[in-house]
């Protein structure tokens, strides 16, 4: 199967506090995602999960290694081209939904379409909202929706452009169990089609629904599990915690 995301030996450093020595937050992490695959990233707080997502999606530049998404080496793109590339190829879902409060659900979903293509096809917007079960909420603003509904709008928004890959950082982190399962089901369904999903989560039950699970620890891959059960994920994360600084 073709790799949609191919991040090799990624190194990411941040300046130390008060101009001190730079800290290495990712120390040679590789992440390969096949078409239609759902890869889940778990690991203790501070292990580098969000940083890996930011580097693999081109939101942040790497200090070493390479990131190729849908055949494009992100290092070859200037900032403007990179932004264009992200809009057309990548979808994002964040823990805090990141919807625009002044816009309706439909307008929020239309936003990335407008940015990517210059226009927002009404049908595409309707379809995207319908796919997440919110056709009736098209004219409501985020403040009039529950957290779970807002996150489903965010999922619809991330998928309206039909991206090759969606990066989701703790998409169920702020949701109750039932809403979380619903959002997860959506992402899982999308990942069985042509869209790949890379998801960070602290929920090990949720993690076990991935085709593959990457366990990070202190900026390195501690373990990689293929189609694991919840117990396998639990054991691997406990192992990663045990050795954490
Ligand atoms: N912009 C930044 N500047 C400096 N240090 C940063 C920056 N972003 C992250 N870090 C550091 O990098 C390390 C990894 O952070 P990251 O956010 O990737 O962890 P995480 O695994 O997502 O944690 P969590 O589960 O708490 O979200 C942490 O020690 C964090 O303090
Ligand atoms: Mg994080």
């Amino acid at each position: 199967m073709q790799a949609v995301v191919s991040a090799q030996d990624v190194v990411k450093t941040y300046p130390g506090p008060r101009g001190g020595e730079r800290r290495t937050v990712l120390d040679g992490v590789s992440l390969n995602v096949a078409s239609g695959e759902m890869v889940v990233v778990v690991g203790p707080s501070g292990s580098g999960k969000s940083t890996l997502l930011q580097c693999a999606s081109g939101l942040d530049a790497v200090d070493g290694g390479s990131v190729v998404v849908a055949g494009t080496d992100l290092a070859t793109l200037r900032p403007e081209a990179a932004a264009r590339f992200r809009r057309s190829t990548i979808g994002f879902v964040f823990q805090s939904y990141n919807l625009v409060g002044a816009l309706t659900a439909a307008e929020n979903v239309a936003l990335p379409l407008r940015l990517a293509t210059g226009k927002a096809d009404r049908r595409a917007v309707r379809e995207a909202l319908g796919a997440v079960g919110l056709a009736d909420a098209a004219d409501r603003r985020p403040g009039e929706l529950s957290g779970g509904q807002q996150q489903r709008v965010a999922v619809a928004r991330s998928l309206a452009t039909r991206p090759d890959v969606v990066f989701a950082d703790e998409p169920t982190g702020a949701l109750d169990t039932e809403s979380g399962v619903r959002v997860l089901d959506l992402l899982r369904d999308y990942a069985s089609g042509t869209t790949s999903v890379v998801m960070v989560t602290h929920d090990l039950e949720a993690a076990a629904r991935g085709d593959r699970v990457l366990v990070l620890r202190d900026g390195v891959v501690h373990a990689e599990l293929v189609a694991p059960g919840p117990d396998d994920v639990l054991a691997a994360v406990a192992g990663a915690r045990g050795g954490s600084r």
Side-chain angles (χ1 to χ4, degrees), residues 163-184:
D164 292 328
V165 53
V166 170
F167 289 92
D169 197 348
E170 301 195 33
T172 63
L175 304 179
D176 61 85
T177 308
E178 198 183 320
S179 308
V181 165
R182 188 146 185 200
V183 165
L184 196 62

Side-chain angles (χ1 to χ4, degrees), residues 14-15 23 25 43-52 54 169-170 200 202:
Y14 285 119
R23 287 192 46 219
V25 172
S45 181
S47 57
K49 303 181 297 292
S50 295
T51 305
L52 176 61
Q54 272 162 3
D169 197 348
E170 301 195 33
V200 167
H202 280 285

Side-chain angles (χ1 to χ4, degrees), residues 158-206:
S158 78
L159 288 154
T161 53
R162 300 185 189 280
D164 292 328
V165 53
V166 170
F167 289 92
D169 197 348
E170 301 195 33
T172 63
L175 304 179
D176 61 85
T177 308
E178 198 183 320
S179 308
V181 165
R182 188 146 185 200
V183 165
L184 196 62
D185 282 345
L186 286 169
L187 291 172
R188 183 60 271 188
D189 282 354
Y190 283 115
S192 347
T194 54
T195 302
S196 307
V197 173
V198 182
M199 177 177 79
V200 167
T201 184
H202 280 285
D203 177 349
L204 303 185
E205 292 268 337

Side-chain angles (χ1 to χ4, degrees), residues 99-153:
L99 299 175
V100 181
L103 301 181
T104 65
E107 288 165 346
N108 268 285
V109 172
L111 208 54
L113 272 171
R114 230 183 266 288
L115 287 169
T117 64
K119 62 177 167 40
D121 179 351
R122 274 166 185 273
R123 216 181 73 193
V125 172
R126 228 184 9 247
E127 274 176 16
L129 278 172
V132 299
L134 285 174
D136 292 346
D139 296 329
R140 284 155 74 184
R141 291 178 210 287
E144 300 162 339
L145 299 170
S146 72
Q149 289 171 327
Q150 289 183 61
Q151 192 63 306
R152 275 149 59 204
V153 173

Side-chain angles (χ1 to χ4, degrees), residues 5-92:
V5 178
S6 174
Q8 303 307 325
D9 302 319
V10 169
V11 175
K12 180 70 187 174
T13 64
Y14 285 119
R18 292 174 297 279
E21 205 179 309
R22 291 184 77 84
R23 287 192 46 219
T24 302
V25 172
L26 294 178
D27 196 3
V29 174
S30 295
L31 168 73
N32 295 291
V33 185
S35 180
E37 193 180 27
M38 181 170 192
V39 176
V40 177
V41 182
V42 298
S45 181
S47 57
K49 303 181 297 292
S50 295
T51 305
L52 176 61
L53 243 60
Q54 272 162 3
C55 289
S57 62
L59 283 179
D60 212 344
V62 300
D63 296 303
S66 62
V67 180
V68 177
V69 177
T72 297
D73 184 340
L74 299 186
T76 64
L77 300 177
R78 290 168 180 278
E80 244 177 61
R84 257 199 318 274
F85 177 79
R86 276 198 305 276
R87 282 177 202 141
S88 61
T89 315
I90 299 175
F92 293 95

Side-chain angles (χ1 to χ4, degrees), residues 41-45 49 201-204 207 213-217 222-223 225 230-244:
V41 182
V42 298
S45 181
K49 303 181 297 292
T201 184
H202 280 285
D203 177 349
L204 303 185
V213 176
L214 221 59
V215 185
L216 286 192
R217 163 183 157 179
H222 171 74
L225 314 170
D231 291 348
D232 305 322
V233 181
L234 187 67
V237 171
R241 266 202 199 102
S244 241

